[in-house]
């Protein structure tokens, strides 16, 4: 007899609370194997393929492509031990009362057993291992043990209670056991994601006036964005309406949703681009860095002619090719060994500088999805050849959108090669919570005094942006000078090997 198990969106790690469905890899009726990828989701960190911990027949999918789901929301259900695939496509949440497969099982599948409070990610009490789970662990979750997830806040009573849609207040109207939005009584709201709450708060939107499109009335980000758009459209649809609303009578309490902020009509051809996904995460991180870190920048021009000649000689020996960014990374880690103050972070709560023993080197990379900073772990232990291989791997993963959250977190120092854009210099914003970033400009032929004579040499501008809390200009200047000396005379690196 088939057993229908529910697979929920797992905790993808790094504090991520939601993900957007990018592409379904399976359809209802498909047979899936244990740990087979079933969906591609995009988080604020990366694009991730999520494997299913069960093997069987897919009986339901939840969410269309482009839908955002919170951690713990159902992704799909699998009939383990089913002999025939189901035929109808499962409805998406919010499309009708039968969106729960436990209440409306697909044709040809067994009735869904009652969920057990001790089960995790399944609609039966069987453990994933007993149901055919692999026991493997992907980012943030495992298939062989119950999943620890953030506890969903539920109102008193059975299930999540859905607030009524926004409407005129009725002072004499009835109210539910725990109160309702109509009478302004406080109570829990069916919201999981703190990002959804923040979005509503920023637009003065009362969540109790919304009807959630998620399962059990869960309010999703798309619900809040739709309410904001409708509020803006209502404020701009009537051209004859006064520019400002008349104030409400003093005796009438405010019980409906607070109106969205007044937004001026867009000029012809203008568009709005939501700050979400990777772009939104980058915006939040850069804004936080600028608010919290008192940064400063120093720079120097260096003659890179000898470094380029050394790279040419290394690559002519028939060994794996060494990239220029790998040589700069090798120089950078050698300089950090002499100036460990810059491989650090600031613990603002404890008012302490935390110096880090390992160098996990991030490098800024521009991709179709926006600016990302992949991380070369333990860069201080790698050779130039190993660094080249890891830079190449991470660059290709960024180009194809297959970087994992682990590939994008944990850096302690960042290289920023803006020379690839054809510019000489920059004053970048630090990659919070790091304390420093080395910038590399383009290498171009310039007149240069070499051995007492004017010559044309290959010159590069190097810049160091640093957190002035961790060190002063003397340390920053000493680090940058050490980098420049190694660029101009690569043999200097031999002293550090």
């Amino acid at each position: 007899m088939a057993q229908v198990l529910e697979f929920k969106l797992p905790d993808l790690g790094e504090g991520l609370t939601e993900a957007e469905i990018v592409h379904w890899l399976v359809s209802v009726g498909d047979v899936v194997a244990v740990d087979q990828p079933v969906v591609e989701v995009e988080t604020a960190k990366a694009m991730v393929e999520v494997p299913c911990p069960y093997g069987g027949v897919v009986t339901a999918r939840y969410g269309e492509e482009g839908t955002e789901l919170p951690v713990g929301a159902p992704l799909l259900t699998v009939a383990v031990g089913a002999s025939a695939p189901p035929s109808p496509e499962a409805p998406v949440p919010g499309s009708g009362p039968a969106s729960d497969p436990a209440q409306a099982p697909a044709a040809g599948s067994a009735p869904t057993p009652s969920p057990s409070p001790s089960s995790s990610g399944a609609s039966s009490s069987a453990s994933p291992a007993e149901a055919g789970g692999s026991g493997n662990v992907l980012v943030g979750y495992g298939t062989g043990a119950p999943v620890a997830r953030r506890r969903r806040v539920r109102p008193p009573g059975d299930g999540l209670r859905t607030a009524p849609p926004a409407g005129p207040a009725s002072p004499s109207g009835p109210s539910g056991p725990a109160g309702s939005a109509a009478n302004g009584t406080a109570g829990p709201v069916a919201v999981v994601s703190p990002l959804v709450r923040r979005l509503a708060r920023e637009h003065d939107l009362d969540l109790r006036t919304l009807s959630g499109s998620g399962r059990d009335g869960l309010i999703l980000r798309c619900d809040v964005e739709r309410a904001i758009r409708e509020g803006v459209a209502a404020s701009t649809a009537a051209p004859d309406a006064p520019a400002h609303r008349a104030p409400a009578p003093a005796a009438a309490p405010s019980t409906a949703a607070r109106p969205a902020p007044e937004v001026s009509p867009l000029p012809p051809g203008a568009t709005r681009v939501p700050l979400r996904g990777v772009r939104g995460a980058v915006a939040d991180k850069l804004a936080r860095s600028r608010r919290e870190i008192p940064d400063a920048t120093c720079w120097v021009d260096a003659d890179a002619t000898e470094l380029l000649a050394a790279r040419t000689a290394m690559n002519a020996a028939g060994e794996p090719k060494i990239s220029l960014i790998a040589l700069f990374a090798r120089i950078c880690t050698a300089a950090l060994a002499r100036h460990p103050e810059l491989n650090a972070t600031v613990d603002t709560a404890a008012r302490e500088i935390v110096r880090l023993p390992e160098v996990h080197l991030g490098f800024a990379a521009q991709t179709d999805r926006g600016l990302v900073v992949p991380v070369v772990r333990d860069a201080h232990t790698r050779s130039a050849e190993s660094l080249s291989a890891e830079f190449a791997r991470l660059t290709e993963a960024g180009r194809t959108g297959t970087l994992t959250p682990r590939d994008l977190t944990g850096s302690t120092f960042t290289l920023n090669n803006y020379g690839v854009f054809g510019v000489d210099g920059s004053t970048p914003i630090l990659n919070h919570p790091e304390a420093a970033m080395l910038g590399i400009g383009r290498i171009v032929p310039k007149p240069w005094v070499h051995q007492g004579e004017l010559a044309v040499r290959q010159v590069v501008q190097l810049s160091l942006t640093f957190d002035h809390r961790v060190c002063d200009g003397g340390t920053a200047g000493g680090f940058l000078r050490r980098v420049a000396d190694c660029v101009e005379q690569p043999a200097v690196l031999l002293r550090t090997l």
Side-chain angles (χ1 to χ4, degrees):
M1 184 176 182
Q3 182 182 22
V4 179
L5 301 177
E6 184 180 79
F7 176 44
K8 299 179 180 180
L9 178 66
D11 185 346
L12 299 174
E14 304 298 338
L16 302 173
T17 59
E18 59 189 359
E20 179 179 337
I21 295 175
V22 176
H23 178 59
W24 281 105
L25 304 176
V26 296
S27 301
V28 171
D30 288 353
V31 177
V32 296
V34 173
D35 285 344
Q36 175 181 333
V38 293
V39 65
E40 288 182 350
V41 299
E42 181 179 21
T43 69
K45 298 287 186 182
M47 193 93 71
V48 179
E49 284 188 349
V50 179
C52 180
Y54 312 117
V57 178
V58 177
T59 61
R61 294 189 325 191
Y62 294 105
E64 300 295 333
E65 295 179 357
T67 303
E68 282 194 335
L69 296 179
V71 169
L75 271 178
L76 50 77
T77 55
V78 177
V80 178
S83 57
S87 55
E89 177 80 13
V92 297
S95 62
S99 60
D100 186 352
Q103 299 175 0
S109 63
T112 306
S114 299
S116 167
S118 63
S119 65
S120 175
S123 59
S124 74
S125 59
S127 70
E130 294 170 347
S134 67
N136 293 334
V137 175
L138 185 66
V139 183
Y141 81 102
T143 62
V147 181
R149 293 193 180 96
R150 297 174 179 81
R151 182 167 58 89
R152 180 179 295 179
V153 179
R154 295 177 180 268
D158 295 332
L160 291 172
R161 184 168 296 130
T162 304
S170 176
S172 60
S175 61
S180 66
N183 58 19
T185 304
V189 182
V191 178
V192 171
S193 171
L195 299 179
V196 172
R197 293 183 182 274
R198 185 180 68 181
L199 183 63
R201 184 169 59 250
E202 290 174 350
H203 290 82
D204 290 333
L205 185 64
D206 189 349
L207 288 171
R208 302 183 206 289
T209 64
L210 301 184
S211 294
S213 62
R215 189 180 186 190
D216 296 327
L218 188 70
I219 298 175
L220 306 178
R221 177 185 241 173
C222 59
D223 301 322
V224 176
E225 291 175 342
R226 181 172 59 251
I228 294 171
R229 289 194 301 268
E230 290 174 352
V232 173
S235 65
T236 59
D240 297 332
H244 300 281
R245 295 183 178 89
S254 175
T255 56
R258 285 172 287 184
E262 296 287 347
V263 178
S264 302
L266 294 177
T271 58
R272 295 185 183 273
V273 179
L275 279 174
R276 57 190 301 180
V278 172
R279 184 70 259 170
V282 170
D284 292 340
K285 195 167 190 177
L286 294 179
R288 182 180 182 185
S289 179
R290 186 59 85 193
R291 285 194 309 268
E292 296 183 6
I293 299 179
D295 57 359
T297 302
C298 54
W299 58 90
V300 65
D301 288 342
D303 180 0
T305 306
E306 297 301 327
L307 181 68
L308 295 179
R311 175 174 177 258
T312 300
M314 295 167 69
N315 289 339
E319 300 293 331
K321 301 298 183 182
I322 305 298
S323 65
L324 191 59
I325 188 69
L327 291 180
F328 275 106
R330 187 67 189 85
I331 292 171
C332 184
T333 57
L336 284 174
R338 289 204 170 193
H339 301 277
E341 301 93 332
L342 294 169
N343 193 57
T345 185
V346 175
D347 186 338
T348 54
R351 292 185 61 82
E352 294 176 342
I353 298 171
V354 182
R355 293 182 182 174
L356 304 169
E358 293 87 15
V359 179
H360 301 315
L361 197 63
F363 64 99
Q366 193 70 38
T367 71
D368 293 340
R369 299 174 61 239
L371 179 67
V372 295
V373 183
V375 182
V376 177
R377 300 196 175 276
D378 298 313
H380 60 296
T381 66
R382 294 176 180 265
S383 64
E385 181 180 321
S386 174
L387 288 168
S388 290
E390 188 65 0
F391 276 116
R393 183 188 72 83
L394 292 169
T395 299
E396 180 60 23
R399 185 178 297 113
T400 58
T402 57
L403 289 168
T404 66
R406 186 177 187 275
D407 290 333
L408 294 166
T409 53
S411 59
T412 62
F413 188 97
T414 293
L415 279 179
N416 190 354
N417 183 19
Y418 40 75
V420 297
F421 302 116
V423 297
D424 296 326
S426 173
T427 55
I429 299 175
L430 289 178
N431 185 26
H432 186 279
E434 295 172 18
M437 176 185 295
L438 178 67
I440 307 167
R442 60 176 180 162
I443 301 178
V444 293
K446 289 184 179 180
W448 190 265
V449 176
H450 176 64
Q451 296 180 351
E453 295 183 358
L454 187 63
V456 176
R457 306 288 286 181
Q458 301 294 323
V459 179
V460 60
Q461 185 179 102
L462 305 171
S463 63
L464 178 71
T465 298
F466 64 99
D467 185 339
H468 223 313
R469 296 173 297 180
V470 304
C471 69
D472 295 323
T475 300
F479 171 88
L480 188 58
R481 189 63 255 171
R482 178 68 177 178
V483 171
D485 289 345
C486 291
V487 169
E488 294 183 341
Q489 303 177 54
V492 173
L493 273 176
L494 294 175
R495 300 194 189 108
T496 66
L497 299 178

